Amino acid sequence: GESVGLHLPTLSVQEGDNSIINCAYSNSASDYFIWYKQESGKGPQFIIDIRSNMDKRQGQRVTVLLNKTVKHLSLQIAATQPGDSAVYFCAEKGGSQGNLIFGKGTKLSVKP
Amino acid sequence: NAGVTQTPKFQVLKTGQSMTLQCAQDMNHEYMSWYRQDPGMGLRLIHYSVGAGITDQGEVPNGYNVSRSTTEDFPLRLLSAAPSQTSVYFCASSSGQSQETQYFGPGTRLLVL
């Protein structure tokens, strides 16, 4: 079946270091992927997305890498700041109805 | 723009009661959806709509009804609340009829006793 999972449920990094959050997906037909950030008590906030015809996409301090060969997605956050502390979700568009399928999330904690 | 708004922010219900969770967006988005978020389960799609007058079921539709009489509003109705429906509910919208780049509301916390 379709699944979106995360390799690490929690990640703790030092302020200023780079963070890498990983995500595995199982549906090779998925053509769109997206990362969300969710702070405590708030709704998910869009970070960055990527289509399957791309390997890499960069935003402000964030980069998403897509490896279709091993069905792996990663989110890189440069110079991680305390404000980056949150739960990060990946999602793929590949459900039977073209719906987004969300992973369970990785909690990122940034130590000052 | 206010974006996606949800009311109420928090609600306590007794088993068997019914209620409506409100969702509105002012971005003229065609696509709207409802998710529930449970600990360790991520976000699961309940119902969605690709435009006014059109709704469809998601992954976990049982116990919920929706309607889309206008582009702006997409209410979620719990017909007879059950403790298993205790969750945080998020409404989202996106432009066009696609689910891509959805914008989420702040959520409604529901506790069913």
Side-chain angles (χ1 to χ4, degrees):
Chain A
E2 301 160 355
S3 66
V4 177
L6 295 167
H7 294 312
L8 295 173
T10 60
L11 177 64
S12 183
V13 300
Q14 203 71 36
E15 181 178 359
D17 288 350
N18 296 334
S19 302
I20 300 176
I21 301 172
N22 296 305
C23 181
Y25 64 95
S26 60
N27 187 352
S28 58
S30 294
D31 59 0
Y32 175 82
F33 304 86
I34 189 168
W35 282 98
Y36 282 95
K37 171 187 179 182
Q38 187 176 26
E39 296 175 279
S40 180
K42 297 184 178 180
Q45 178 184 3
F46 169 80
I47 301 174
I48 193 167
D49 58 2
I50 187 168
R51 297 196 180 280
S52 59
N53 60 355
M54 302 173 67
D55 297 323
K56 178 180 179 180
R57 192 172 188 208
Q58 288 184 293
Q60 186 177 11
R61 279 202 307 119
V62 294
T63 301
V64 56
L65 298 176
L66 177 62
N67 186 332
K68 294 180 286 294
T69 302
V70 295
K71 290 184 284 189
H72 183 268
L73 189 71
S74 68
L75 176 71
Q76 300 179 2
I77 304 173
T80 312
Q81 302 169 359
D84 294 325
S85 294
V87 176
Y88 290 81
F89 293 94
C90 66
E92 62 177 314
K93 182 182 178 184
S96 58
Q97 300 165 302
N99 301 326
L100 286 179
I101 301 171
F102 285 82
K104 293 180 173 56
T106 292
K107 183 177 181 179
L108 175 65
S109 295
V110 182
K111 296 177 288 186
Chain B
N1 287 348
V4 179
T5 58
Q6 293 182 238
T7 57
K9 290 186 178 180
F10 182 70
Q11 182 72 48
V12 179
L13 290 178
K14 294 181 180 178
T15 296
Q17 287 185 316
S18 62
M19 79 160 294
T20 299
L21 280 64
Q22 301 292 343
C23 174
Q25 52 89 12
D26 61 358
M27 298 174 283
N28 201 32
H29 284 170
E30 293 187 44
Y31 183 92
M32 296 186 74
S33 57
W34 276 102
Y35 293 88
R36 61 177 289 172
Q37 185 175 38
D38 303 296
M41 296 293 291
L43 289 156
R44 292 184 292 171
L45 182 66
I46 304 172
H47 285 285
Y48 66 98
S49 168
V50 298
I54 305 170
T55 63
D56 210 341
Q57 295 181 348
E59 179 187 356
V60 288
N62 293 340
Y64 307 95
N65 274 354
V66 292
S67 60
R68 187 90 181 273
S69 56
T70 67
T71 299
E72 294 78 19
D73 301 297
F74 191 44
L76 178 72
R77 297 183 186 84
L78 278 69
L79 308 173
S80 178
S84 62
Q85 293 180 303
T86 293
S87 187
V88 181
Y89 292 84
F90 289 101
C91 179
S93 72
S94 61
S95 61
Q97 295 188 344
S98 169
Q99 290 199 47
E100 300 173 3
T101 318
Q102 294 186 54
Y103 296 91
F104 284 81
T108 294
R109 289 186 175 273
L110 177 66
L111 174 62
V112 182
L113 302 175

